[in-house]
Amino acid sequence: MTENTQQQPAANPELPTQYAPAEVEGKLYERWVERGYFEADANSDKPAYTIVIPPPNVTGSLHLGHAFEHTLIDALTRRKRMQGYETLWQPGMDHAGIATQNVVERELAKEGKSRHDLGREAFVERVWQWKAESGGQISGQMKRLGDGVAWSRERFTMDEGLSQAVQTIFKKLYDDELIYRAERIINWCPRCLTAISDIEVEYQDDDGELVSIRYGEGDASIVVATTRAETMLGDTAVAVHPDDERYKPLVGTEIELPLTGRRIPVVADEHVDPEFGTGAVKVTPAHDPNDFEIGQRHGLPNLAVMDERAVITAHGPFQGLDRLEARSAIVAALRAEGRIVAEKRPYVHSVGHCSRCKTTIEPRLSMQWWVKVGPLAQAAGDAVRDGKVKIHPQEMEKRYFDWVDNLHDWCISRQLWWGHRIPVWYGPNGEIVCVGPDEQPPAGEGWHQDTDVLDTWFSSGLWPFSTLGWPEQTESLAKFYPNSVLVTGYDILFFWVARMMMFGLYAMDGTPPFHTIALHGMVRDQFGKKMSKSFGNAVNPLDWMDEYGSDAVRFTLVNGANPGVDVPIGEDWVKASRNFANKIWNATRFALMNGATVEGPLPDPSEMSATDRWVLSRLNKTVAEADAYYDDYQFAKLADALYHFAWDEVFDWYVELSKTTFFAGGEGAKVSGRVLGEVLDVMLRLLHPIVPFVTETLWTTLTGKESVVIADWPADSGFRDEAAEKEIELVQQVVTEVRRFRSDQGLQPGQKVPARLDLTGTALAPHEAAIRQLLRLQPEGEAFSATASLPVAGATVALDLSGTIDVAAERKRLAKDLAAAEKEKAQANGKLGNEAFLAKAPDNVVDKIRTRLAKADEDIARIQAQLERLPQA
């Protein structure tokens, strides 16, 4: 444990009788911010500790996933700040291109307008106006949660500095031939009217139809199957496998494409699986990525038959129909011509949807800008393989490698108006000029800038260094790059983490953006189900904060945070965490009223009781445990260790065992008061990163010092007393066993019972008064009659239960319970001994019966022991 060097105002041991989070949390947070506790000095001599916030969307609000992630990061940074690091938790928000543009377009629609009515410049100005008025509400919610971020450094992916970083890296990648423009098949959202990347496509099983269509006539016919009949209008070939004997005579010939009047070739391509379906596939190069590759290999034309809204553009009766309308109409027309060989409805298959608006994605041939990811992804993979970057938990490495080792080139252009506009100009004679941030774009008649903007993940991929001033070589960049750790969900391992790795290594001369990637799971409801408004189980964390306090929400989230594993959470668990905060409050209040103090040095161990030495030994072990769990990102184990130390060992055992000492007064009470003060001081500092508000109030009251935020993190002093720990373990055994017996006999917790304690030959003698106090055991009187005797921990506790229970009635009740347990055992044994039953019963049913048998055995043993302990009637 370390000494704190803060100023010490006069201590005020007065605390309200109840803890009211709503009355203290807001005021405390304002005080922390005003005093600059969360700011970071780039010129400090302290070692740096840096974490960036995964930038929430400017359109967003705080959900439980945010609250969970922010609590973990806040706990890490608060601890490091207390350990003496120059700690930077970098805040900021993402401009969220598609999501933000959709929000503002919906607002315009209420006015009967579209973005095209305003024009690009006025629309972008309108988005900035919306951002100023309505965006970023999440910042206020972060303050409610207690996020210790450096607010003076808050950044936005569209601010001037970050925009310069985006333009700089685009130019660098372009000059290094790692950015190029090409016509390829992309994922197109007909609702958002933009390309989206592979990882922004959500796949789900939809009910569709599988239609088998006969192309050609007679012997020169081939049957193909499709779930998207409307795309047949754009077919430019039928493909078969080169070794498929069934179709060899047709390879190189042409067959008729129904409904169109066109003839298309039959080509041989090894991509085709001869064992799947009929072994023949229709080829639509402009509307399918695999077909596009076949078309490239065979020089097939790319015939687009849909516009950007997925409306049919091909000439004929289907022109102007939506794709789904056209699908039904085309199938009907084919059926009328006798071309439908088979139809399967419903046909469940995996269909891609836009992750933002849920519209079905349409593969579409389009001219777009791309990042050549090969060398960048290789570097990102090697950084983990070489140990420069560690992924925690380690088993997540496989998922990372599976992704970065198989990355396709990244489509970075989006057909939006809100975002970083691509810094490329086109000239009147086909010239293409990429312009850096310090360069003037070409001027003159016929020159114009590309109308597309960059994928949002392009700018957020620069976040660890662009927020520190890059491309300028700032003091902050030198001090705080690379980040110490990235804390983020495994769900954006590919969206965000891989992009930061690629860009960080590329822009920062091979230095990765962080040393460690600590991955956590997703927050789910108490039954393990994904939280969703559509499921009716979504929770607004602010409602829980209003009801139970921010500390209760934070502790509940940390308590479920096993690395890389999803986190279940329910309101009952938040209530339990609120009770824990109240327990800390009440116990500290009791301690202050009974002499707990931090004044002066700790007494010498020789002056302490075994109880004092025990709790200090356990305290130091808990400090060591906490450090180990923090360093291994084992948040759930950390919370569990601190909870049980505080509630069980300090409040339920040490405080209770010491009450007789406090009530007796004298030197023993002074020693224990100083020990209890030390324990509370250290315990509150250990708990502070997780539950900052209640610990701030209690610690400043206990110590009279300025703030626990800037207090020293406790250090393990090395003090251990195994003998004292074993001695108190004996006391705990006696108390626990006698409490169990009392409960079994139906005695009320506060009911007093005469008892004789034989502690001869044990280390329990000094604790007799405390044992009697905890167990409500009266001294034996003249009429004492030992009706029950309990040997435990080498001692004997004799109890006089005459007059406290009706022995005959209790024997009758227990005999009834015993008969029921024996009947349950007989029934379970009967089923498990029945071979016919075992042969037919499902495994889970058999397992339940085995569980019932084990429970019956336990009940029988327990009831028999209770009967043996009862006094004779």
Side-chain angles (χ1 to χ4, degrees):
M1 281 93 59
T2 56
E3 286 296 316
N4 196 283
T5 57
Q6 298 179 46
Q7 292 295 111
Q8 295 193 42
N12 176 15
E14 295 298 322
L15 283 172
T17 55
Q18 291 184 323
Y19 176 49
E23 295 178 12
V24 300
E25 291 179 349
K27 294 175 184 176
L28 286 182
Y29 191 85
E30 286 178 12
R31 186 188 308 159
W32 293 336
V33 173
E34 287 170 2
R35 294 179 178 177
Y37 292 158
F38 305 138
E39 296 303 323
D41 182 2
N43 296 309
S44 168
D45 292 332
K46 298 177 182 178
Y49 186 81
T50 316
I51 297 182
V52 295
I53 190 172
N57 288 351
V58 68
T59 57
S61 61
L62 192 76
H63 56 64
L64 270 175
H66 287 126
F68 173 53
E69 186 167 80
H70 289 202
T71 298
L72 300 186
I73 299 174
D74 197 41
L76 290 172
T77 52
R78 283 179 183 270
R79 172 179 177 248
K80 285 296 181 180
R81 190 178 293 112
M82 295 171 77
Q83 285 182 314
Y85 286 78
E86 194 62 38
T87 303
L88 170 60
W89 183 9
Q90 173 68 57
M93 285 182 290
D94 191 282
H95 65 279
I98 295 176
T100 305
Q101 181 157 318
N102 283 345
V103 168
V104 178
E105 287 196 79
R106 283 196 295 270
E107 293 297 313
L108 284 174
K110 295 176 184 176
E111 304 169 16
K113 297 178 182 178
S114 74
R115 61 181 164 125
H116 300 286
D117 294 324
L118 271 66
R120 183 169 193 144
E121 187 174 334
F123 175 78
V124 170
E125 181 58 37
R126 180 71 176 261
V127 180
W128 277 109
Q129 180 184 338
W130 174 88
K131 191 255 181 189
E133 295 173 357
S134 307
Q137 62 174 313
I138 202 168
S139 297
Q141 296 165 343
M142 288 166 58
K143 294 173 183 177
R144 283 286 313 278
L145 187 64
D147 286 4
V149 298
W151 286 112
S152 69
R153 292 172 171 267
E154 186 175 13
R155 304 301 299 270
F156 180 54
T157 49
M158 287 283 287
D159 68 27
E160 184 178 351
L162 270 66
S163 295
Q164 182 183 23
V166 168
Q167 195 172 354
T168 299
I169 201 160
F170 187 100
K171 171 72 171 174
K172 180 174 170 60
L173 288 162
Y174 182 87
D175 290 345
D176 287 344
E177 298 183 350
L178 292 172
I179 280 183
Y180 64 95
R181 190 169 184 246
E183 190 176 44
R184 299 259 185 93
I185 293 284
I186 47 89
N187 303 301
W188 182 265
C189 177
R191 159 62 184 80
C192 297
L193 298 181
T194 182
I196 63 175
S197 67
D198 290 344
I199 53 179
E200 293 170 299
V201 178
E202 293 179 348
Y203 287 90
Q204 66 184 48
D205 287 341
D206 287 356
D207 286 344
E209 61 181 3
L210 181 67
V211 182
S212 298
I213 309 168
R214 177 173 52 83
Y215 288 13
E217 299 293 344
D219 292 339
S221 67
I222 296 179
V223 175
V224 299
T226 181
T227 58
R228 300 165 67 221
E230 68 278 9
T231 62
M232 67 160 291
L233 301 176
D235 286 359
T236 56
V238 171
V240 298
H241 194 275
D243 299 331
D244 195 329
E245 295 293 336
R246 293 172 294 176
Y247 301 117
K248 276 192 175 180
L250 292 177
V251 174
T253 68
E254 291 186 343
I255 60 174
E256 181 185 349
L257 178 65
L259 306 181
T260 67
R262 291 190 290 114
R263 295 185 67 80
I264 58 176
V266 178
V267 299
D269 195 280
E270 292 189 351
H271 169 75
V272 180
D273 181 0
E275 302 299 323
F276 183 77
T278 63
V281 296
K282 58 192 287 299
V283 182
T284 319
H287 292 279
D288 184 274
N290 293 321
D291 292 3
F292 178 77
E293 298 297 331
I294 293 174
Q296 293 290 293
R297 288 193 288 271
H298 297 276
L300 301 175
N302 301 317
L303 183 59
V305 294
M306 277 181 263
D307 66 12
E308 68 274 11
R309 297 183 186 276
V311 172
I312 301 298
T313 58
H315 294 296
F318 312 109
Q319 186 175 4
L321 295 180
D322 172 79
R323 55 183 167 170
L324 298 181
E325 297 172 332
R327 182 176 301 171
S328 299
I330 287 170
V331 170
L334 290 167
R335 191 182 298 114
E337 290 190 3
R339 294 281 180 179
I340 300 296
V341 175
E343 297 178 67
K344 185 176 181 181
R345 295 188 185 88
Y347 178 72
V348 179
H349 61 133
S350 182
V351 178
H353 297 261
C354 174
S355 63
R356 289 177 175 81
C357 71
K358 311 309 176 187
T359 301
T360 300
I361 290 301
E362 189 63 45
R364 185 169 187 250
L365 186 65
S366 180
M367 183 68 75
Q368 301 285 344
W369 285 94
W370 304 80
V371 171
K372 187 185 296 182
V373 300
L376 302 175
Q378 177 70 41
D382 289 346
V384 175
R385 290 187 182 92
D386 298 344
K388 289 182 181 178
V389 177
K390 297 187 182 302
I391 294 179
H392 186 88
Q394 191 173 0
E395 54 265 28
M396 286 285 182
E397 283 186 2
K398 183 180 183 302
R399 295 182 65 173
Y400 177 79
F401 292 135
D402 286 345
W403 182 257
V404 297
D405 292 346
N406 297 286
L407 271 179
H408 299 295
D409 283 2
W410 172 20
C411 177
I412 56 172
S413 45
R414 299 290 181 267
Q415 289 63 55
L416 304 170
W417 286 356
W418 172 246
H420 296 100
R421 195 163 173 182
I422 289 177
V424 170
W425 271 255
Y426 303 104
N429 299 311
E431 302 97 331
I432 299 178
V433 176
C434 181
V435 178
D438 300 322
E439 301 170 349
Q440 289 298 318
E445 186 175 350
W447 283 93
H448 64 279
Q449 187 177 358
D450 196 302
T451 57
D452 289 351
V453 300
L454 288 163
D455 177 11
T456 295
W457 297 102
F458 190 94
S459 52
S460 59
L462 313 179
W463 194 249
F465 51 94
S466 63
T467 53
L468 298 173
W470 187 90
E472 300 299 322
Q473 297 304 306
T474 64
E475 292 176 337
S476 290
L477 188 65
K479 178 73 173 179
F480 296 113
Y481 187 91
N483 281 206
S484 306
V485 62
L486 174 74
V487 179
T488 192
Y490 63 70
D491 57 316
I492 57 173
L493 181 61
F494 319 126
F495 281 88
W496 189 44
V497 178
R499 282 155 169 65
M500 286 191 290
M501 286 285 283
M502 290 191 295
F503 282 167
L505 290 160
Y506 173 74
M508 300 300 292
D509 299 321
T511 302
F514 19 74
H515 298 303
T516 301
I517 302 168
L519 296 171
H520 59 72
M522 310 295 292
V523 177
R524 297 183 178 272
D525 72 11
Q526 64 208 62
F527 306 107
K529 191 174 183 180
K530 179 180 178 182
M531 285 192 172
S532 166
K533 290 182 180 178
S534 61
F535 294 154
N537 63 350
V539 174
N540 182 348
L542 296 175
D543 293 340
W544 280 353
M545 288 185 216
D546 290 341
E547 182 71 21
Y548 306 111
S550 297
D551 284 333
V553 175
R554 289 171 63 113
F555 191 84
T556 306
L557 290 165
V558 173
N559 202 34
N562 290 296
V565 178
D566 288 344
V567 183
I569 185 172
E571 188 168 4
D572 286 345
W573 304 341
V574 183
K575 290 179 184 177
S577 296
R578 185 268 316 272
N579 295 342
F580 179 50
N582 288 342
K583 182 76 170 180
I584 300 170
W585 182 273
N586 293 333
T588 303
R589 187 170 178 272
F590 168 86
L592 289 170
M593 293 169 61
N594 287 275
T597 179
V598 295
E599 294 179 8
L602 272 175
D604 189 83
S606 63
E607 301 175 39
M608 299 178 188
S609 67
T611 308
D612 294 333
R613 298 194 305 276
W614 164 76
V615 78
L616 288 176
S617 184
R618 289 297 307 132
L619 176 67
N620 278 282
K621 286 183 178 179
T622 302
V623 171
E625 271 188 295
D627 283 331
Y629 289 143
Y630 261 119
D631 292 341
D632 198 32
Y633 307 101
Q634 296 279 359
F635 294 102
K637 291 181 179 179
L638 166 70
D640 186 67
L642 295 180
Y643 175 91
H644 287 294
F645 175 72
W647 193 306
D648 298 346
E649 297 186 300
V650 178
F651 304 146
D652 280 358
W653 285 109
Y654 181 73
V655 169
E656 294 299 323
L657 286 170
S658 300
K659 278 183 178 179
T660 53
T661 303
F662 287 130
F663 296 160
E667 283 304 311
K670 289 181 181 179
V671 170
S672 292
R674 179 64 188 91
V675 170
L676 180 54
E678 179 75 7
V679 171
L680 290 175
D681 172 15
V682 173
M683 183 193 76
L684 291 170
R685 283 187 277 154
L686 288 173
L687 282 165
H688 171 72
I690 303 175
V691 284
F693 296 108
V694 68
T695 51
E696 171 80 342
T697 306
L698 295 175
W699 189 85
T700 53
T701 303
L702 172 70
T703 66
K705 296 179 182 178
E706 181 182 337
S707 174
V708 71
V709 177
I710 54 172
D712 293 335
W713 180 252
D716 177 7
S717 70
F719 177 80
R720 301 286 190 276
D721 193 324
E722 300 298 335
E725 290 198 39
K726 289 179 180 177
E727 185 171 321
I728 301 304
E729 283 175 14
L730 293 177
V731 175
Q732 292 171 328
Q733 285 180 35
V734 171
V735 172
T736 301
E737 188 63 27
V738 176
R739 277 178 174 167
R740 184 182 296 116
F741 175 77
R742 288 177 56 111
S743 176
D744 288 344
Q745 305 312 314
L747 296 176
Q748 295 301 313
Q751 190 171 353
K752 294 182 179 180
V753 178
R756 177 188 300 140
L757 274 61
D758 181 3
L759 310 178
T760 307
T762 73
L764 295 166
H767 305 283
E768 179 170 351
I771 291 171
R772 287 185 175 276
Q773 170 72 23
L774 287 168
L775 291 172
R776 305 295 189 267
L777 301 180
Q778 292 179 320
E780 54 188 291
E782 290 183 5
F784 178 83
S785 175
T787 57
S789 183
L790 280 75
V792 56
T796 301
V797 179
L799 303 174
D800 183 355
L801 300 180
S802 58
T804 60
I805 61 172
D806 184 336
V807 176
E810 187 64 13
R811 281 190 176 278
K812 186 176 180 180
R813 181 185 71 81
L814 290 172
K816 184 179 178 181
D817 290 347
L818 181 61
E822 287 173 338
K823 181 180 178 181
E824 174 76 0
K825 177 178 180 177
Q827 289 176 341
N829 273 327
K831 289 185 177 180
L832 293 175
N834 185 334
E835 295 296 333
F837 170 79
L838 293 177
K840 294 179 181 179
D843 289 345
N844 65 318
V845 172
V846 175
D847 287 343
K848 284 183 180 179
I849 294 171
R850 287 188 177 127
T851 301
R852 284 170 48 194
L853 177 60
K855 175 69 166 52
D857 282 335
E858 289 176 8
D859 289 344
I860 290 169
R862 175 179 55 80
I863 296 168
Q864 287 175 338
Q866 289 177 240
L867 284 166
E868 289 173 6
R869 288 174 176 173
L870 273 177
Q872 296 301 313

